[in-house]
Amino acid sequence: MELDRREFAQMMFGGMTLAGLTSFGLPAEAAASAGTVLKQADAIRNPQTSFAVYVKLTNYVRGKVREQTSVTTYSRPTGGQFNTLVHINAPSADRGKILLRNGNILWLYDPASKASVRISPRQRLLGNASNGDVVSSNLVGDYRAKLAGTEAIVDGEKKTRDCHKLQLTQAAKSAPYSSVEFWVDQASSQPVKGKYYTNSGKLIKVAWYRKARNQMGASRPTEIVIADGFDPNKVTVMQMGNYRAKDIPQSWFNKEWLPNFKA
Amino acid sequence: MKRLLMHSVAATLAFQIAMPAMAQDFDLPPDLPGDSVADLPQDDAVAAPDASDEVPEVAAPGATVPELAPATELAFDEPDAGGIDGLSATLKLETRFFSNTNLDDETEGALRFQAHYFGDYSLGERASLNFNLRARTDIVDGQEYTFSDDFAIDIQELALTYAITPGTSLQFGRINIRNGVATGFNPTDWFRDNSLVASSSAAPADRRNERLGVVAFTGTTTIGQTLIQAGYRPEIDAEPDTLWTDADVIGMGLDRTNPSEVWFLKVTPYINDNLSLTANAVLIDEDPGIGFELSGTLGDNLVLYTEVMGQYRLSLADEALGGSLGTPGFRDDIGVDGDKDWYFQAALGGNWALPERFVGAEDVSLTLEYHFNEAGLTASQIDALSGATGFDRMAAGALYGVANRRQEPLARDQFFTRFAWNDFVQDADMSLLGFYAPADNSGLAQLSVDIPVGRNGNFNLRGITTFGDDRSVYGVNPTKRSLQMGFTYTF
């Protein structure tokens, strides 16, 4: 229901807000720069072509490993965003299950019953990582970006880095968070850290992007440490590896195709 | 889907860390044992990016996903399990104890062992064999165990798939063709009739795992952004007591799954990035049916859906009583007229994942559905059914049986709800579901708790009860209560 209000407000005031950014004194070049910085960070977070990547998620509670999941995600760019299939490799109880994301459409497919269940973006499948974390997505398009200055912050490897600080506000209904504070390395455009907020302004999670490695032609973070904003004892580590270009037909991103999917 | 990992004490200590070394404002990243764990092997050999927009060289296609290096406790299974090239399969072993109480308040115990093996085996670049097999045996307190009667192997699925192109495939064999978006009742699920092989749960999700596929030939392709599926299910008329029907141990039940000839078509067009629509048409012998399912989300939390099916068919009462069962007065009272007609079925509902402001980071969801079955009974017809006496009791029994076999609501109107709380205590999941028939205030409730044990085990506690008088839609169920304990281990 809240989204209704949000969508309504966005419909009514979205254009005014964008126009207002310049009329209220934010330099046009700064607004453009915010978009450019975010776009560069997006291009580092995800290859902007069809690709597959192996992802391992480890959940910690009070420092103990509580849960591990490994998935392979298959992503295909479409209209500035990605369609994604997340194939679960482990644990064995979930092996073969598939999460399909096509815009705001999310399906969970179970190979044992050949059943697909429509789920909401809010429903979590993989520990502290939300569906939105696991599927590939660009922040550009989902959020309006505004430069909020520069800041020296401690990165995921506990080194101090000079960063652009971006203030992102939700622009698309498929965006999983209401707002995001996002830090991007000034020198390399590497994403460094993100703080993600709900509609009510509550901090829901903090993510550190680290361990940059060369993958598919770019130096990309291969590990994301996600701390739960509600309970700091809960931490999820996403490790990404074996990025590879893969031609993925559009037909795969249809729930009726899922029984035909072969990993 | 959350699995609790219970490592050895030593392993746990090895990964024990202090409270995350972060302030509440998260200025610093947490200290994690993962920091000492080797990274996933990376493709460092790839050249660093330059200014060009060219698609870079990548790892060789088909390269296997590397294992995590030294931390064995953190290591994962390879994506292709089973140790055989091309085989991707899951084996589940389950032991389940039942304590069932019947309508006379007599309780009996039973024990079931079952093995469920499903997956697919690649037969080259384009072809694969899909299988879903189950072996089960039941030992019932007070009954003599006879292997031929009490042990069964079910070939739930066994089909060949051939991909003509990446977007077009053909499938032939025994296939579980399942349609629908609703949780409690799927009007568009044409092949649910007589498909259950064993039933220990009222949860639709569990029952979907326990059904026989149909022998069919299907094709799937994409035209533009529209996915189209077409298929044919032949009628199979086989002798009783044979491998093809109901022979001991390995009767395939083809007479159950293929009792008539069916042609079908499903069309899934792209509408937008929120609405999902699948329309379908079916021809069962010469009786047509047409339907659709539609779903969409409202905000981040709410999924709304509906599915509707209209079919030219007999009503439940007509099918059960045929031309002669029951007295004329009783037949009139429950609406038997002997004619086929167009009957509509619908499910309308939503799933609401409770937002953070109510439940914080907890994963809690609520499903509510209304079910309509025009081929079922109205309140007055249900009243007449419950008042059946003498010869009409047999007719009433037949009607309950047909509704059960068809897996569709006996009452014209029904409600369904499901409340699920994942990780309600540590990683244990809880769900509570219920069916309710307002015509006679009867229903069924099921509480289920799943407690992960280790990486691959799951302990399940389940309680099922019906309510309503002994002749009501749900109260007539011969098992009034069932308490169950099960343990599943997945390889």
Side-chain angles (χ1 to χ4, degrees):
Chain A
M1 297 304 161
E2 268 191 22
L3 189 77
D4 274 349
R5 290 202 298 272
R6 216 163 49 220
E7 283 176 331
F8 179 72
Q10 199 174 303
M11 190 170 64
M12 294 295 291
F13 307 119
M16 292 165 61
T17 307
L18 285 171
L21 284 179
T22 49
S23 63
F24 284 113
L26 186 67
E29 62 190 18
S33 174
T36 303
V37 169
L38 191 59
K39 194 172 183 179
Q40 288 172 338
D42 273 346
I44 288 173
R45 285 171 54 244
N46 293 302
Q48 300 296 301
T49 57
S50 288
F51 70 97
V53 60
Y54 181 63
V55 182
K56 175 172 169 280
L57 297 107
T58 305
N59 292 332
Y60 299 86
V61 176
R62 291 189 175 81
K64 294 179 184 173
V65 175
R66 290 289 293 276
E67 183 180 22
Q68 292 175 307
T69 306
S70 78
V71 304
T72 304
T73 68
Y74 300 86
S75 301
R76 175 188 165 103
T78 175
Q81 205 40 278
F82 290 93
N83 290 336
T84 305
L85 285 170
V86 180
H87 179 272
I88 299 177
N89 306 321
S92 52
D94 296 322
R95 185 186 301 132
K97 290 180 181 174
I98 300 170
L99 172 68
L100 161 65
R101 185 235 191 177
N102 186 344
N104 215 28
I105 299 171
L106 286 165
W107 292 96
L108 178 65
Y109 170 77
D110 182 355
S113 62
K114 297 286 190 289
S116 296
V117 179
R118 178 102 190 229
I119 61 174
S120 64
R122 166 75 173 85
Q123 285 174 284
R124 282 199 323 262
L125 300 173
L126 303 162
N128 298 333
S130 71
N131 303 332
D133 293 321
V134 181
V135 301
S136 304
S137 62
N138 286 332
L139 293 168
V140 168
D142 272 4
Y143 297 91
R144 283 184 289 275
K146 191 173 94 173
L147 264 181
T150 57
E151 202 172 320
I153 65 161
V154 178
D155 69 7
E157 286 155 27
K158 298 194 176 166
K159 294 172 186 159
T160 302
R161 292 166 80 168
D162 293 326
C163 293
H164 294 294
K165 182 180 179 184
L166 299 176
Q167 187 65 45
L168 311 181
T169 52
Q170 190 179 42
K173 61 185 176 183
S174 57
Y177 307 102
S178 178
S179 64
V180 182
E181 290 177 285
F182 201 70
W183 287 265
V184 178
D185 187 282
Q186 283 182 301
S188 66
S189 296
Q190 286 280 336
V192 175
K193 180 180 173 181
K195 294 174 89 168
Y196 299 84
Y197 295 87
T198 64
N199 298 331
S200 59
K202 173 81 180 162
L203 178 66
I204 189 167
K205 68 180 61 171
V206 183
W208 286 267
Y209 301 81
R210 65 183 193 181
K211 298 193 178 175
R213 301 283 187 273
N214 282 329
Q215 293 280 308
M216 279 188 71
S219 178
R220 309 180 192 284
T222 59
E223 196 166 288
I224 307 173
V225 179
I226 303 170
D228 188 318
F230 290 96
D231 183 351
N233 293 308
K234 293 181 177 174
V235 176
T236 297
V237 176
M238 287 176 61
Q239 293 174 289
M240 288 80 75
N242 196 22
Y243 278 88
R244 56 205 184 273
K246 186 172 178 67
D247 185 26
I248 303 169
Q250 179 61 33
S251 58
W252 285 20
F253 301 98
N254 186 310
K255 73 126 172 163
E256 297 294 336
W257 181 262
L258 295 178
N260 296 296
F261 177 82
K262 297 285 177 281
Chain B
M1 24 201 328
K2 314 245 166 41
R3 318 300 306 173
L4 173 64
L5 298 173
M6 296 177 67
H7 298 284
S8 68
V9 172
T12 300
L13 289 174
F15 291 122
Q16 179 75 43
I17 58 170
M19 286 285 289
M22 56 185 158
Q24 283 300 315
D25 60 358
F26 298 96
D27 285 339
L28 296 172
D31 291 322
L32 290 168
D35 291 349
S36 63
V37 174
D39 301 340
L40 280 173
Q42 306 293 339
D43 179 24
D44 276 310
V46 174
D50 55 29
S52 79
D53 289 325
E54 277 182 29
V55 177
E57 290 287 321
V58 296
T64 56
V65 176
E67 284 187 355
L68 272 177
T72 54
E73 287 293 335
L74 289 175
F76 268 91
D77 303 331
E78 287 288 330
D80 286 334
I84 300 173
D85 278 352
L87 178 66
S88 175
T90 298
L91 173 63
K92 289 189 176 187
L93 300 180
E94 184 187 65
T95 302
R96 180 167 291 273
F97 171 75
F98 300 79
S99 174
N100 295 334
T101 302
N102 64 21
L103 290 172
D104 296 324
D105 277 332
E106 296 165 338
T107 299
E108 73 176 11
L111 198 57
R112 174 178 296 165
F113 299 99
Q114 64 176 340
H116 188 195
Y117 188 53
F118 59 94
D120 55 70
Y121 179 64
S122 175
L123 300 169
E125 288 267 317
R126 293 171 178 264
S128 63
L129 179 70
N130 176 255
F131 56 89
N132 187 345
L133 313 171
R134 186 187 299 266
R136 56 192 162 89
T137 189
D138 291 289
I139 302 165
V140 181
D141 183 29
Q143 293 182 16
E144 186 180 352
Y145 181 82
T146 312
F147 181 79
S148 58
D149 291 337
D150 297 316
F151 181 84
I153 294 173
D154 304 307
I155 301 172
Q156 293 180 247
E157 289 181 272
L158 190 62
L160 276 171
T161 299
Y162 183 78
I164 299 171
T165 68
T168 301
S169 77
L170 301 173
Q171 201 168 25
F172 174 72
R174 176 166 246 180
I175 312 164
N176 186 357
I177 298 169
R178 189 199 163 271
N179 305 324
V181 65
T183 303
F185 169 54
N186 296 112
T188 60
D189 192 14
W190 325 299
F191 297 138
R192 64 181 182 275
D193 186 3
N194 210 6
S195 62
L196 273 185
V197 290
S199 180
S200 60
S201 168
D206 295 330
R207 294 165 82 95
R208 285 178 200 134
N209 286 327
E210 297 164 346
R211 70 188 256 173
L212 290 171
V214 298
V215 174
F217 178 77
T218 71
T220 307
T221 192
T222 303
I223 299 174
Q225 292 200 69
T226 298
L227 192 132
I228 295 172
Q229 294 169 282
Y232 172 69
R233 181 190 82 172
E235 178 180 350
I236 297 177
D237 186 14
E239 290 293 314
D241 293 326
T242 63
L243 169 70
W244 311 110
T245 55
D246 57 352
D248 290 340
V249 181
I250 194 167
M252 293 179 66
L254 299 182
D255 53 336
R256 293 170 54 182
T257 61
N258 288 62
S260 55
E261 184 182 61
V262 177
W263 294 89
F264 61 88
L265 177 70
K266 291 168 70 176
V267 179
T268 307
Y270 176 78
I271 299 178
N272 59 33
D273 65 358
N274 188 0
L275 289 176
S276 175
L277 170 73
T278 296
N280 74 75
V282 64
L283 190 66
I284 301 175
D285 284 336
E286 294 179 351
D287 297 334
I290 190 162
F292 71 90
E293 58 172 87
L294 179 68
S295 62
T297 58
L298 205 57
D300 293 342
N301 302 70
L302 184 62
V303 176
L304 296 174
Y305 48 81
T306 186
E307 57 179 287
V308 177
M309 190 80 200
Q311 277 185 284
Y312 190 71
R313 51 169 282 189
L314 292 169
S315 69
L316 287 178
D318 272 308
E319 184 175 343
L321 271 62
S324 58
L325 202 56
T327 62
F330 179 71
R331 291 169 65 89
D332 280 347
D333 288 346
I334 62 169
V336 174
D337 62 15
D339 294 328
K340 285 184 178 177
D341 205 344
W342 278 92
Y343 288 102
F344 285 87
Q345 297 179 324
L348 175 68
N351 174 270
W352 185 42
L354 273 63
E356 289 90 352
R357 67 175 176 277
F358 294 150
V359 297
E362 297 295 322
D363 187 4
V364 183
S365 64
L366 180 67
T367 300
L368 284 174
E369 288 179 8
Y370 165 69
H371 303 155
F372 174 71
N373 182 12
E374 195 179 18
L377 302 186
T378 63
S380 63
Q381 290 167 343
I382 287 170
D383 197 39
L385 184 73
S386 67
T389 57
F391 181 56
D392 292 334
R393 293 287 300 276
M394 187 192 303
L399 182 47
Y400 291 122
V402 167
N404 188 49
R405 189 206 74 206
R406 275 184 162 271
Q407 299 185 70
E408 63 183 62
L410 177 59
R412 187 166 291 198
D413 305 290
Q414 174 178 277
F415 292 93
F416 169 81
T417 187
R418 181 174 184 270
F419 172 81
W421 186 356
N422 293 330
D423 302 342
F424 80 108
V425 175
Q426 294 198 346
D427 283 352
D429 297 341
M430 184 267 282
S431 72
L432 176 65
L433 65 83
F435 292 89
Y436 174 65
D440 60 6
N441 292 316
S442 70
L444 179 149
Q446 174 173 306
L447 176 67
S448 188
V449 174
D450 287 284
I451 305 164
V453 181
R455 181 187 291 184
N456 298 322
N458 186 73
F459 182 67
N460 172 261
L461 289 170
R462 183 183 293 156
I464 306 171
T465 186
T466 59
F467 55 92
D469 71 49
D470 291 355
R471 293 192 179 193
S472 61
V473 167
Y474 282 97
V476 73
N477 192 323
T479 302
K480 192 174 177 182
R481 283 187 301 276
S482 178
L483 295 173
Q484 303 173 21
M485 281 190 305
F487 181 76
T488 306
Y489 191 87
T490 307
F491 294 88

